[in-house]
Amino acid sequence: MKIPIQPPTESDINNLLTPLTNPSSSTTSMEHSKSYWRFSKQDFYPEPSFQNLTAYRSAFSQTIHRLRDRCFGRSSDVTELVELKKQSENDMHKCLTWIDLIWLGFGSVVGSGIFTVTGLEARDNAGPSIVLSYALSGLSALFSVFCYTEFAVEIPIAGGSFSFLRIELGDFVAFIAAGNILLEAVAGAAGLARSFSSYFASMFSSNPDILRIKVDSFAEGFNLLDPIAVVILFMANMVAMRGTKLTSFSNMILSMITSLIIVFIIIVGFMHSKTSNLQPFFPYGPGGMFKAAAVVYWSYTGFDMVANMAEETRKPAKDIPLGLVGSMSTVGVVYCLMALALTMMVKFTEIDRDAPYSVAFEKIGMKWAKYVVSLCALKGMLTSMLIGSMGQARYTTQIARAHMIPPWFALVHPKTGTPIYATLLVTTVSCIVALFSSLDVLSSVLSFSTLFIFMLMAVALLVRRYYVKDRTSTHDMAKFMVCLVVVIGSSIGITALWGVNVKGWIGYTVGGGFWLAGTFGMMLVQQQRVPKVWGVPLVPWLPALSILMNVFLIGSLGAIAFKRFFICSGVMLVYYVLVGVHATYDVAHQESIEPNLEKGKTASG
């Protein structure tokens, strides 16, 4: 099986992604003279296929051909790093150091889940074994961090996983990832805002829904309107739009305060702990622990936001590994200690689902401490929203640069150096979702999308190491593809056996044997690319293990998460067929399409 499409030559690149906002204009000075605040149709849909109805009909009649072209179309490092950036017209400011990235990593991760889903999963699925859920998820997240770090060091661009997947797995896979990235951004931001509202309410009431408005006519899970979540989410995004360095400094101050309070929570928690609260350790069985691990993975999301800031980092090769690997290793240990302190303080059946730490301190008689805990949780969620809004906007910017959504969202403001339109897009949708959707609905959707993207990242890293067009022999490519299919297939098989609750060791032994054989076989294939600065250790074992763990955690999610994921993906595919495939095809084949555009204009005239 081939992975076709040679990265474009230098002459192809010049034609490939010349900004389509005004084909007749070729000078940078003319682009920069345009007003940032513009809203014409040409800014949203500059592609030839959308110039008029006749052109669109002609393009739509070629949908099958265009889908085939885009399914196998791969980008290149040069395209993502250089050519696509022209779509933004202004550069983002390179203002971040490794110190900024470490605190951005801490601020983006701590607060994105530990204060939100811990209570829900400990109460309903894992019990005291929530500690192991965090350990398992943390290990899987660390493997994903390795993959992100290698890519971000070599391709320091705002697109993060979208750009990495577009280069290695092709345009169509990148679109599926892009849709899930945006879904993750919306669900994550809305979930944080809802949790902020719960913790804020818990500071003066035992009812976390006291500030929400119940609408009986709406479906369960969508019937508690949360205006507080909307307000705080909007405010956080407005700060993020003012500038990257300002947001980074604000995060650093807030994160320092948060770290001190976390130390207080852990120490006081263990001082009031009871080992009897750990019994039974697996009240819902190992399956409950694994299901909780898949959901609490949300607590580790946010590190990809740091990789997303690579375009604004002064020295990516040095700063990104320090910021990602260092901060995530520390956070994993902190999470396990916090989860253990919670389950030893309070019996798991008494843990509050929405504000577990605040209510736990109130139950042990330290009513004053619940305000400290709530303050920490609020600060943690606020920093996560701040950094999340930056990272999500930069994801959106690169997706718009590739014309998968209107390139208007890729424009960077000349003074702030931030993508204001992309930030507003994510903010608006997130506020709407936060107003209606409950935390359990959001967490399951977010976890599926996140795990799916991390699995694809591990696959992309293996492809990057083992396959280079015109360098990898047909024989080596065939061996690599067979091994990769065996690794992915055995991971799915092991997950399926666990999902249907198969007893005995034979099935798992067979599945594990295939996984080992596929990984070992891949190790015997010669690697075609060696990282220049920083690389994932123990390739192919760590990426293969990341694939297995992410697939297994996906399988541990409930059926409703699969249903919501596939419904959302179906909507994305409809958009891709109607809009996305034609826009990206036009960009990739601009020179050959322009004569057809002239024909369309003549026909319409």
Side-chain angles (χ1 to χ4, degrees), residues 21 23 25 98 116 136 173 246 261 312 371 398 470 474 517 540 604:
T21 51
S25 175
W98 64 271
T116 58
L136 181 63
V173 173
L246 173 63
I261 300 177
E312 294 158 274
Y371 297 105
Q398 193 72 3
D470 292 335
T474 304
S604 62

Side-chain angles (χ1 to χ4, degrees), residues 101 104-109 112 141-142 144-149 151-152 155 157-162 164 177 180-185 188 297-313 320 323-325 327-328 384 387-395 446 449-454 457:
L101 294 183
L104 285 171
F106 183 88
S108 65
V109 176
S112 64
L142 189 59
S144 296
V145 165
F146 287 148
C147 297
Y148 267 86
T149 302
F151 272 112
I155 313 170
I157 194 66
S161 56
F162 167 73
F164 308 151
N180 282 282
I181 287 167
L182 295 178
L183 178 62
E184 175 188 339
Y297 205 107
W298 184 12
S299 303
Y300 291 99
T301 59
F303 68 82
D304 49 333
M305 297 297 112
V306 179
N308 243 19
M309 308 306 296
E311 189 173 325
E312 294 158 274
T313 302
I320 292 175
L324 275 173
V325 180
S327 59
M328 279 300 298
S384 290
I387 302 164
S389 64
M390 286 200 304
Q392 292 151 9
R394 281 143 187 83
Y395 267 135
L446 176 65
S449 298
T450 303
L451 292 166
F452 178 68
I453 293 168
F454 291 170
M457 282 293 296

Side-chain angles (χ1 to χ4, degrees), residues 32 225 257 305 404 520 554:
H32 283 235
L225 307 188
I257 298 172
M305 297 297 112
M404 286 191 178
F520 185 76
I554 288 174

Side-chain angles (χ1 to χ4, degrees), residues 327-392:
S327 59
M328 279 300 298
S329 300
T330 304
V331 167
V333 174
V334 169
Y335 275 1
C336 290
L337 291 175
M338 290 183 69
L340 182 61
L342 174 66
T343 53
M344 292 184 72
M345 265 198 300
V346 183
K347 193 71 175 177
F348 77 92
T349 54
E350 300 176 6
I351 293 176
D352 185 80
R353 290 180 174 85
D354 294 302
Y357 289 92
S358 294
V359 177
F361 274 93
E362 188 174 4
K363 286 182 180 294
I364 64 174
M366 299 179 65
K367 292 186 178 181
W368 61 271
K370 82 170 188 176
Y371 297 105
V372 177
V373 175
S374 294
L375 180 63
C376 177
L378 293 173
K379 285 181 177 293
M381 285 180 274
L382 183 58
T383 55
S384 290
M385 281 187 278
L386 281 171
I387 302 164
S389 64
M390 286 200 304
Q392 292 151 9

